[in-house]
Amino acid sequence: GQNIDQPTEMTATEGAIVQINCTYQTSGFNGLFWYQQHAGEAPTFLSYNVLDGLEEKGRFSSFLSRSKGYSYLLLKELQMKDSASYLCAVRDSNNAGNMLTFGGGTRLMVKP
Amino acid sequence: EAQVTQNPRYLITVTGKKLTVTCSQNMNHEYMSWYRQDPGLGLRQIYYSMNVEVTDKGDVPEGYKVSRKEKRNFPLILESPSPNQTSLYFCASSPLGTGDYGYTFGSGTRLTVV
């Protein structure tokens, strides 16, 4: 199985940059996903990493280091609407099908 | 529009009264799954299905049933709901295999059992 750890809560200021970390342990790593989830709503896909390095998508970037079992999601120019939970999820080739295992999520609060 | 449709969005029911939460996807995905989400516990998988007539237990299957008679539908059945099944439920679907696609989630069903 996988252990996926991410901080429970973070607070940041509007306009700033925040980095949300995720560490994982898996025997057959086959991709890491970040999802955004506003309270009471469905998670929505943000990013995907399978090779080491940085993937940039507008204000959001995601980094992966497979040797360290580590990823981070970087949010720039924070806006109030970025207040949400951010879920790290790992796909393991030893899992049946395409199963993702989710971390507990990081609740980000953006303050004015 | 490609989507996963769950119904109902909100449901209040009484202990022991059987209920079904429906889930349907229009993307021809092989893989479908049910999760429940509780404060402090994150998303926990209940059941999943890799194709028609192929279902298997996730991490928290007790008290739930599923069926997959058609590729597009994956209903979640609570035969005798109890208050500890009060939760936010999500259905998700995905193609099988690897690639840069994750899950597509339904809008969620907030269930309260009194």
Side-chain angles (χ1 to χ4, degrees):
Chain A
Q2 299 93 34
N3 292 321
I4 301 174
D5 291 313
Q6 46 181 136
T8 306
E9 282 190 357
M10 297 182 73
T11 303
T13 305
E14 191 176 16
I17 300 172
V18 70
Q19 178 175 312
I20 302 174
N21 296 326
C22 171
T23 58
Y24 64 88
Q25 292 176 306
T26 181
S27 52
F29 177 81
N30 196 10
L32 186 142
F33 296 80
W34 283 96
Y35 284 83
Q36 181 190 58
Q37 185 181 23
H38 286 99
E41 298 182 10
T44 55
F45 171 80
L46 283 179
S47 70
Y48 168 77
N49 295 72
V50 67
L51 300 176
D52 292 350
L54 189 68
E55 294 283 340
E56 296 187 77
K57 229 187 232 187
R59 292 190 301 115
F60 292 5
S61 303
S62 58
F63 172 83
L64 175 67
S65 168
R66 288 172 296 171
S67 62
K68 295 181 180 176
Y70 168 69
S71 173
Y72 67 73
L73 180 69
L74 193 71
L75 291 76
K76 302 175 188 174
E77 300 168 16
L78 279 173
Q79 302 175 8
M80 298 299 291
K81 68 178 182 180
D82 297 329
S83 292
S85 288
Y86 292 86
L87 312 179
C88 174
V90 172
R91 183 165 60 203
D92 187 327
S93 60
N94 294 321
N95 284 346
N98 190 28
M99 282 205 300
L100 302 183
T101 301
F102 287 84
T106 298
R107 186 179 167 209
L108 174 66
M109 289 171 280
V110 180
K111 296 187 174 178
Chain B
E1 179 190 353
Q3 59 186 359
V4 177
T5 304
Q6 268 180 255
N7 280 298
R9 287 294 308 274
Y10 300 93
L11 178 60
I12 301 174
T13 190
V14 296
T15 298
K17 185 177 181 181
K18 180 180 178 179
L19 68 90
T20 300
V21 184
T22 63
C23 175
S24 180
Q25 50 95 3
N26 62 0
M27 296 165 281
N28 202 38
H29 286 167
E30 294 87 1
Y31 183 83
M32 297 185 75
S33 182
W34 277 102
Y35 288 86
R36 61 177 289 174
Q37 188 173 39
D38 303 288
L41 295 176
L43 283 167
R44 293 182 293 167
Q45 191 177 49
I46 303 170
Y47 269 94
Y48 66 94
S49 168
M50 291 207 287
N51 218 323
V52 175
E53 302 292 0
V54 180
T55 64
D56 210 343
K57 296 177 181 178
D59 297 320
V60 288
E62 294 76 22
Y64 304 94
K65 283 174 58 177
V66 293
S67 70
R68 188 92 182 271
K69 295 187 171 64
E70 306 161 287
K71 198 172 188 178
R72 62 185 293 124
N73 295 324
F74 190 45
L76 180 69
I77 303 154
L78 285 73
E79 294 272 2
S80 182
S82 63
N84 65 11
Q85 292 178 299
T86 292
S87 188
L88 179 58
Y89 291 86
F90 289 104
C91 180
S93 76
S94 172
L96 278 180
T98 59
D100 62 350
Y101 40 80
Y103 291 171
T104 302
F105 285 88
S107 299
T109 296
R110 187 167 290 283
L111 172 66
T112 302
V113 184
V114 298

